[in-house]
Amino acid sequence: MTKKYNFDEIVPREGTNCIKYDGREWIFKTNDVLPLWVADTDFRTPDFITEAIRKRAEHEIFGYTFKPESYFEAVIGWMKRRHNWEIKKEWISFSPGVVAGLTLAIETFSKPGDGVVVQPPVYFPFFDSVKGTKRKMIENPLKLQNGRYTFDFDDLKSKIDKNTKLLLLCNPQNPGGMVWTREELEELASICFENDIMVISDEIHSDLTYHQNHHIPFASLSEQAANNSIVCMAPSKTFNVAGLASSLIIIPSKIKMARYERALSVGHLGMGNIFGSVALEAAYSNGDNWLDQLLDYLWNNYIFLENFIKKHLPKVKVMKPEATYLVWLDFRKFGMNDEELMKFTIEKARVGLNNGGRFGTGGDGWLRLNIGCPQSVLKEGLERLAKAFNN
């Protein structure tokens, strides 16, 4: 009998050193906001993960460990079942987090002064990874067409040169929620291959796709794409285990894998932590049914949000997500700049959201809202927004 999970449950998170709730004073300068911002969910981590952690904790010795064969089998099985991607054990490496792996890859496969392409509006740690490693950031802004972002290939080709070494791809896209099509990805892959530009693909939201939208791992496009890319994934967004700091770096190229593993070993980063490995294996071994139920719940939350905004906030345009539990909202008709918009939502609506300007070019006047919460919490947040903006 299939177990039914309760995503309506309110799980108090205050007092757990939780950034989303306990960090409100630091982030928003007040605790009097309903936080619908940072990309973790308010859902209880599934029982098959917590039980696996408890079982391992019973041993009571937490010394040096390695990843067992079952760990790799779980990863390989998940990629085949969920993404129709057949990978090999020797392609699988580790990073404490996707951003950490992405940054390490920038340092490994380029040098200071080299060009790195980013495609804003996009997950803002990309900017820090490029600037912090003293690389040159090349902006290739996305185009907004028919309520959806698309790549601007003409702009990309006009800006790259012989010093452009890397492109950071957000796949699925954050904050817009696009699941890039095969045609979009193949054209991007072709441009990058022809210009000797390696693709680092952040695919942390890959499990969270809706209905007919199917995630295509960049390295699965072709042998050419596989040899010219690395893929960064993690169970953290899917199963709400970001605090366990365990991510996957998948590199089909033997040469690139050797270079990445060397950089990983220099920093003694490859071992990870015991409970992160246990959680990852449990998630990818047992998580299918739970994830299917989660996706149904999240989609119902999105439909609730869409209908609410149409009725109560008609000046706001909603970008319909093809993936992720993050919804990109266009508030530009209210005529506020980024700073004014954030100040208003915090002080008048008492809701904590992500300000669009942080996501770079094209983000001003937008807000990112997290629907990964019980619908009663989402309803409260939307009612606060409607009351404030309608007054």
Side-chain angles (χ1 to χ4, degrees):
M1 184 175 177
T2 300
K3 179 171 182 176
K4 183 75 170 69
Y5 291 95
N6 179 19
F7 297 102
D8 286 318
E9 179 189 13
I10 303 292
V11 183
R13 299 184 66 187
E14 290 89 344
T16 63
N17 299 319
C18 160
I19 288 177
K20 191 172 188 178
Y21 286 84
D22 295 327
R24 283 176 289 185
E25 184 71 41
W26 168 46
I27 300 294
F28 300 108
K29 312 305 180 192
T30 176
N31 284 315
D32 187 25
V33 291
L34 185 66
L36 296 172
W37 64 292
V38 69
D40 66 10
T41 70
D42 289 334
F43 306 129
R44 190 180 296 278
T45 298
D47 52 353
F48 47 86
I49 293 178
T50 54
E51 287 168 10
I53 291 172
R54 285 192 194 101
K55 183 178 179 181
R56 178 61 184 86
E58 287 173 0
H59 187 272
E60 298 181 354
I61 294 179
F62 312 122
Y64 295 121
T65 60
F66 59 88
K67 294 172 179 61
E69 196 66 28
S70 55
Y71 172 97
F72 296 99
E73 290 171 355
V75 173
I76 291 167
W78 185 261
M79 296 304 158
K80 175 63 177 173
R81 293 194 309 278
R82 304 303 299 198
H83 305 303
N84 195 30
W85 188 24
E86 294 191 16
I87 68 172
K88 300 176 181 179
K89 176 183 176 181
E90 57 266 30
W91 296 2
I92 303 170
S93 189
F94 173 81
S95 172
V98 162
V99 174
L102 182 144
T103 305
L104 186 60
I106 291 173
E107 293 183 318
T108 302
F109 298 106
S110 66
K111 62 182 186 299
D114 283 346
V116 180
V117 178
V118 295
Q119 298 171 308
V122 73
Y123 182 51
F124 46 82
F126 280 18
F127 308 135
D128 295 333
S129 294
V130 175
K131 294 175 183 176
T133 54
K134 294 182 169 56
R135 272 58 173 175
K136 177 187 175 184
M137 188 159 68
I138 300 170
E139 284 202 11
N140 169 223
L142 300 172
K143 294 190 295 185
L144 184 56
Q145 293 183 338
N146 301 317
R148 182 185 187 274
Y149 286 125
T150 62
F151 295 124
D152 189 337
F153 293 118
D154 291 334
D155 179 75
L156 175 61
K157 287 184 277 192
S158 75
K159 289 179 176 175
I160 57 181
D161 58 28
K162 61 182 176 57
N163 294 316
T164 308
K165 301 300 181 185
L166 302 173
L167 181 142
L168 306 185
L169 174 65
C170 200
N171 176 35
Q173 208 272 345
N174 172 12
M178 265 59 59
V179 176
W180 302 118
T181 66
R182 181 170 295 276
E183 292 73 25
E184 288 172 319
L185 291 173
E186 284 178 343
E187 185 163 357
L188 184 68
S190 176
I191 293 169
C192 289
F193 183 79
E194 289 169 5
N195 290 277
D196 196 23
I197 298 169
M198 179 179 162
V199 175
I200 303 173
S201 187
D202 172 0
E203 304 190 6
I204 198 168
H205 293 282
S206 56
D207 299 324
L208 300 166
T209 60
Y210 300 118
H211 308 310
Q212 78 278 9
N213 300 293
H214 299 290
H215 172 72
I216 300 171
F218 186 86
S220 73
L221 289 170
S222 64
E223 185 176 353
Q224 195 177 78
N227 288 323
N228 193 43
S229 65
I230 76 170
V231 170
C232 307
M233 289 182 167
S236 53
K237 304 300 182 191
T238 311
F239 296 98
N240 208 20
V241 290
L244 294 177
S246 286
S247 299
L248 297 165
I249 307 297
I250 302 176
I251 310 177
S253 164
K254 286 184 179 180
I255 294 172
K256 288 181 172 62
M257 173 61 89
R259 291 181 64 185
Y260 178 83
E261 289 270 280
R262 172 59 183 160
L264 197 66
S265 67
V266 167
H268 287 256
L269 297 171
M271 187 177 297
N273 72 81
I274 292 170
F275 298 115
S277 296
V278 167
L280 186 149
E281 182 179 334
Y284 288 160
S285 298
N286 306 295
D288 294 88
N289 172 48
W290 184 89
L291 175 55
D292 290 341
Q293 292 184 43
L294 172 70
L295 289 171
D296 286 343
Y297 191 89
L298 290 173
W299 187 250
N300 285 333
N301 268 4
Y302 169 72
I303 294 299
F304 178 84
L305 174 143
E306 184 182 75
N307 291 334
F308 184 98
I309 287 181
K310 280 180 182 176
K311 183 175 181 180
H312 301 289
L313 282 166
K315 289 172 71 175
V316 176
K317 288 186 178 179
V318 182
M319 184 171 287
K320 191 170 190 174
E322 298 163 357
T324 84
Y325 47 74
L326 305 167
V327 182
W328 195 225
L329 303 172
D330 182 356
F331 280 78
R332 289 177 295 177
K333 284 189 176 179
F334 286 96
M336 301 183 193
N337 64 32
D338 205 50
E339 185 178 337
E340 291 168 340
L341 189 57
M342 278 302 290
K343 183 179 174 66
F344 187 85
T345 54
I346 293 167
E347 295 182 359
K348 302 298 183 183
R350 296 182 297 113
V351 178
L353 304 174
N354 288 102
N355 57 312
R358 289 200 70 189
F359 296 85
T361 301
D364 285 345
W366 294 73
L367 294 169
R368 193 188 75 172
L369 185 149
N370 183 345
I371 61 171
C373 58
Q375 195 169 108
S376 59
V377 176
L378 176 61
K379 180 174 182 286
E380 170 68 20
L382 292 173
E383 286 174 348
R384 291 186 186 192
L385 288 168
K387 182 178 179 181
F389 279 97
N390 290 329
N391 284 338

